[in-house]
Structure formats: structure tokens, C-alpha cells
Amino acid sequence: MPELPDVEGFRRTLDSCGRGRQIKKVEVADAGVLRGVSAPRFARALEGRRFVAVERRGKWLIARVEGGAVVLLHFGMTGQLLCSPSTDPPHRHDRVRVLLDGGLELRYRDQRKLQGLRLATSQAAAERALAGQGPDALAVGREYFRGELGVRRAKVKAVLMDQSALAGLGNLLADEILWRAHLHPATAANQLSGRDVDRLYSTMRQVLHLSVRAQRVPARRSWLTGHREAKTLQCPRCGSSLLRGKFAGRTSVWCPYCQPER
DNA sequence: AGTAGATCCTGGCGGC
DNA sequence: TGCCGCCAGGATCTAC
């Protein structure tokens, strides 16, 4: 689930629910989601303090806490961040609960625990932890995008999903963007023409803006995403049968007519 | 440099 | 109904 648009939604949740409120208590139901930090140390760093700022970079959510600590959240494939009244019964996948002043709590809910929460003790440490992340896909300029794709021989889909090149795009977004830009996912990035790259860039921005507004990749009929789970896969644009295959280890869906191989 | 494969986890689904 | 393998919108590491 969580790609850039979803995480942007979680950022808003944390910002509106948590920022400025004092953290009363941190309850770790499953320490398996804490990375590089014990539950007691994690709780100690947060309790009694406030979240002072909330940012996002790619698929990472970054929450600054009074006193200099920074919480880094990644949602893997199944993670979510929710804001609920403390009286709501916990869900069995609520791994960490952050009880706030005023009766609300933040919940890190995750079925698969493929990623999790990290604690950086300073701004500098947080920067180091995110050093491998490229610029956010929404913040990246056309020139940078051209440069990055121009030098890569890998498949364009692999480059779009490479978080060190461009942070925030996942499998669904990559498929959607390539479908709308009429590009086959296995095309070598450096084989794309200047026009292709420009179209890809504009398409990426459009898809991201629409998705951020919906806080997810919208599964509408007019979007490729709305069709990938159907039994008979049909291109919403031309009606051709969609193809399904693996690139860069991930399932891809594409239209052989709209996105011819070259 | 690029990619396939295994790995970290859990759960839903289809097939037998 | 039960068991099994496969699959899932992520990321990292190893081996070619």
C-alpha cells in the first residue's frame, strides 16, 4: 500500500493529530517493528515530549521530537498510521501506540513488519539514516530527472522504483505512470528519447498530484490501477488484453498495444 | 552496472 | 475442512 501518496497521508495524520501535543505514553505491543532501538529506550525518548515537526521524504515519514530526537517511520508493504481515540479497542496489528494528551493516540499498524520505526538521537543522525534516499519524486526538477534517466542502462521501471535515484515511487505508481506515458516498462532508461523523458516527467507529476489528493493511487476505472486485480485484464484506454510479468522482481501490468516493446 | 534470487514477515486465496 | 504453495503496492544483501 504505502507509496509516496499514502505516506503523505500519514504525514498529514501525524501532523494534525500529533504535532504540538504532549506524548503521555508509548506502548510497544510488538518490538519487532523497532529497528536498532529497544522498546524502553524508544519510549523514554518520546514520553513527556511533543512532536514539533513532521516531514516526508519519499516513503519515509520523519517526526521531530522536542529535545532533538527524530523518529523515522517506514511502512513497508502493509503499514499504516492512524489517529484514534484511546478508547477504541486496539487492532491486532497495532504494533506501537503513542498516547497523546487530549485522548487521542497514534497507531503504527502493520501486518507484515517488513519495515518499521527507527530512532535517531539528533538531526545529523537522521540525515545519515536517510543518506541513501534520492530527492523526493515530487520535489525533483525536470533537469535532474533527465540526467538521472539518461545515464542509467537499467529498465526504466527499475530506475523509477530505485529510491536512491528518486524517492517515493513504488510498484503501482511506476506501472501507472509508464502506462500513461505509453512506455514499455522494460525499455532501457538511456534509450528513451528526449520527448519520451519529458512526457514521462510530466506524467509522473500529474499522477503524483492526483494520487496525493486521494492519499493513494486511485483505483478508478480510468486508471490502470483499477484493473490490475481483475480476472480479465483489459486496458482502460484501448480495450486490449493487458499483460502481466516480472521486472526488477516485481509484478508489472502493461498494455502491449499502448506500450509497445522496443 | 545491472539483475535474479533469497530473505525479512504475515495472511488471504486457489487448488487438491 | 485441512494443508500447501503462491502471491502481495518494500527493501536489502549476495552472487553472477
Side-chain angles (χ1 to χ4, degrees):
Chain A
M1 176 205 218
E3 299 178 76
L4 186 155
D6 311 81
V7 181
E8 180 59 22
F10 303 148
R11 189 194 64 74
R12 289 180 204 163
T13 297
L14 212 169
D15 191 72
S16 63
C17 182
R19 188 164 56 85
R21 288 216 172 85
Q22 191 176 44
I23 298 163
K24 311 267 288 186
K25 190 162 176 48
V26 174
E27 291 191 351
V28 179
D30 186 339
V33 296
L34 297 183
R35 304 298 164 108
V37 60
S38 69
R41 195 163 77 82
F42 184 76
R44 224 178 305 126
L46 269 61
E47 286 172 358
R49 303 176 197 267
R50 295 165 200 277
F51 289 114
V52 291
V54 188
E55 293 155 39
R56 182 190 56 73
R57 176 144 163 215
K59 300 176 193 173
W60 283 94
L61 189 57
I62 305 157
R64 298 179 203 294
V65 180
E66 270 177 335
V70 182
V71 182
L72 303 170
L73 303 90
H74 196 294
F75 299 89
M77 280 175 117
T78 49
Q80 311 172 61
L81 188 70
L82 298 94
C83 174
S84 335
S86 312
T87 49
D88 279 11
H91 185 278
R92 68 174 166 143
H93 296 142
D94 287 341
R95 313 294 187 184
V96 175
R97 299 194 300 145
V98 177
L99 282 62
L100 301 162
D101 205 13
L104 292 176
E105 66 181 48
L106 287 159
R107 298 177 174 194
Y108 180 85
R109 183 175 298 177
D110 188 18
Q111 178 201 123
R112 286 173 69 185
K113 302 188 283 184
L114 288 173
Q115 298 291 324
L117 312 176
R118 290 166 190 276
L119 179 70
T121 51
S122 68
Q123 178 64 34
E127 287 300 326
R128 279 196 297 278
L130 297 177
Q133 296 290 300
D136 189 78
L138 260 180
V140 100
R142 193 176 284 270
E143 284 308 314
Y144 174 90
F145 189 79
R146 276 196 198 123
E148 196 61 32
L149 285 155
V151 298
R152 299 286 301 268
R153 286 179 288 167
K155 297 174 171 59
V156 60
K157 175 160 179 186
V159 178
L160 289 179
M161 294 204 309
D162 179 350
Q163 303 300 300
S164 69
L166 202 64
L169 305 184
N171 199 31
L172 272 196
L173 278 170
D175 274 4
E176 187 71 41
I177 292 164
L178 289 167
W179 174 72
R180 289 180 169 237
H182 294 79
L183 296 173
H184 190 282
T187 316
N190 66 356
Q191 296 290 307
L192 298 172
S193 70
R195 280 185 57 192
D196 288 337
V197 175
D198 277 352
R199 193 171 65 254
L200 185 57
Y201 177 78
S202 306
T203 306
M204 174 182 79
R205 295 194 57 87
Q206 186 193 16
V207 168
L208 281 175
H209 282 298
L210 291 168
S211 301
V212 163
R213 200 177 304 164
Q215 302 198 4
R216 56 175 298 182
V217 186
R220 296 202 197 114
R221 276 183 195 285
S222 59
W223 288 54
L224 182 68
T225 307
H227 296 254
R228 64 188 300 138
E229 297 307 328
K231 292 167 202 98
T232 54
L233 294 157
Q234 283 206 316
C235 175
R237 192 161 44 206
C238 75
S240 302
S241 289
L242 295 168
L243 295 180
R244 191 180 257 278
K246 291 238 186 221
F247 299 112
R250 309 296 302 279
T251 301
S252 296
V253 175
W254 73 98
C255 171
Y257 179 78
C258 299
Q259 300 164 269
E261 204 159 356
R262 18 182 157 160

